[in-house]
């Protein structure tokens, strides 16, 4: 039955056109924003998961910054400790040369004093961002955040007790062979302490570096996960856009044909 009050064909065509236009708008939005799921209304469950992962990514970015500062602080201390080892090695050579009668002990002692002052200067200047890991008197330890749980994911770097292990003021002044022998023993002990300190700082540096690499990889994995869940598949969306544009044209044509149908009723009254 045909009716001039109700055009069933036009209503069907109009609903089809509305549906196609909505899908087309969604696809165009996905392409323009690059996000398949950009808000909770798109997919509440996936959106909630992605936002939780986004917060973890932001947290790991802060962790990486913390590890970077920690690495730099340890690197400064490690450089200082290695320089102290070299200086003490030179002092050991001087002390060995002083274990002879026919040498100028006063000049050797003067050289030792200058190198001892250099060691003190290295300890005082091995500071980064307010922390000096070569001086336990000013910095007891360095705590670095290595994960998202501050109560469990922390890395602690213990400072070097330079006051007891690297105190050059306690080295016996060389005036003869006897004092040279005593000084040599003291320097060798201090050299062993400096080597141990360097090894400790080196191990701490490696640990921080390894943790930084792990956090970086973990962060990348999270980003890839969020991308997989929420980002637009551009190839698929491009093909869908073309299909929807064709459907839109056909729906408009169908609506136009349906709107012309009532005009055919006029022929019944001619």
């Amino acid at each position: 039955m045909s009716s001039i009050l109700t055009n069933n064909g036009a209503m069907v065509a109009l609903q089809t056109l509305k549906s196609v236009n909505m899908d087309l708008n969604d696809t165009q939005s996905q392409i323009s924003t690059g996000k398949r799921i950009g808000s909770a209304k798109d997919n509440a469950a996936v959106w909630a998961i992605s936002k939780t992962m986004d917060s973890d990514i932001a947290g790991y970015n802060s962790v990486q910054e913390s590890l970077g500062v920690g690495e730099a602080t340890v690197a400064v201390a490690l450089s200082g400790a290695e320089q102290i080892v070299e200086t003490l090695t030179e002092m050991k050579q001087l002390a060995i040369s002083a274990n002879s009668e026919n040498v100028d002990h006063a000049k050797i002692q003067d050289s030792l004093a200058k190198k001892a002052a250099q060691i003190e200067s290295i300890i005082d200047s091995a500071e980064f961002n307010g922390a000096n890991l070569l001086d336990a008197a000013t910095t007891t330890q360095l705590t670095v955040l290595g994960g998202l749980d501050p109560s469990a994911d922390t890395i602690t770097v213990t400072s070097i007790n330079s006051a007891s292990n690297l105190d050059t003021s306690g080295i016996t002044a060389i005036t003869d062979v006897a004092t040279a022998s005593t000084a040599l023993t003291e320097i060798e002990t201090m050299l062993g302490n400096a080597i141990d300190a360097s090894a400790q700082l080196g191990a701490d540096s490696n640990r921080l570096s390894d943790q930084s690499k792990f956090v970086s990889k973990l962060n990348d994995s999270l980003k890839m996960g969020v991308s997989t869940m929420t980002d637009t598949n551009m190839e698929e969306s491009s093909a869908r856009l073309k299909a929807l544009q064709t459907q839109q044209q056909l729906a408009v044509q169908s609506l136009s044909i349906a709107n012309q149908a009532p005009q055919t009723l006029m022929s019944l009254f001619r």
Side-chain angles (χ1 to χ4, degrees), residues 86-261:
E86 292 182 11
T87 304
L88 284 170
T89 300
E90 295 171 357
M91 292 176 69
K92 179 180 177 179
Q93 292 172 343
L94 288 170
I96 290 173
S97 65
N99 277 268
S100 300
E101 294 289 350
N102 59 337
V103 293
D104 191 336
H105 292 98
K107 289 182 178 179
I108 291 176
Q109 176 56 35
D110 182 60
S111 296
L112 285 175
K114 290 179 179 178
K115 290 188 180 298
Q118 181 183 353
I119 290 176
E120 295 300 324
S121 177
I122 291 171
I123 293 173
D124 291 339
S125 61
E127 179 179 321
F128 183 86
N129 198 31
N132 189 337
L133 295 177
L134 291 185
D135 187 2
T138 59
T139 304
T140 305
Q141 63 183 25
L142 177 68
T143 301
V144 182
L145 183 64
L148 298 182
D149 185 357
S151 63
D153 301 331
T154 56
I155 298 174
T156 301
V157 180
T158 304
S159 300
I160 306 303
N161 191 350
S162 57
S164 60
N165 297 327
L166 301 174
D167 185 11
T168 56
S169 63
I171 298 176
T172 301
I174 295 177
T175 56
D176 51 29
V177 173
T179 54
S181 179
T182 302
L184 176 59
T185 301
E186 294 167 348
I187 291 172
E188 286 180 332
T189 300
M190 191 175 297
L191 178 59
N193 293 336
I195 292 173
D196 290 342
S198 297
Q200 173 193 321
L201 290 170
D204 290 331
S205 179
N206 282 333
R207 185 182 179 190
L208 289 170
S209 178
D210 290 343
Q211 184 66 15
S212 181
K213 291 176 183 177
F214 168 71
V215 170
S216 178
K217 291 179 180 178
L218 182 59
N219 215 11
D220 289 343
S221 296
L222 288 173
K223 290 177 181 177
M224 289 174 62
V226 172
S227 174
T228 300
M229 289 190 297
T230 63
D231 287 1
T232 301
N233 184 326
M234 299 304 288
E235 294 85 358
E236 180 181 325
S237 294
S238 177
R240 180 166 175 75
L241 179 65
K242 291 294 185 181
L244 288 171
Q245 288 173 339
T246 301
Q247 292 177 35
Q248 183 186 51
Q249 294 172 3
L250 291 173
V252 170
Q253 186 67 26
S254 177
L255 180 60
S256 177
I257 293 172
N259 284 334
Q260 293 175 1

Side-chain angles (χ1 to χ4, degrees), residues 52-67:
T52 300
M53 294 175 70
D54 280 339
S55 68
D56 288 343
I57 290 170
Y60 279 121
N61 286 335
S62 297
V63 170
Q64 282 186 284
E65 292 177 1
S66 174
L67 287 168

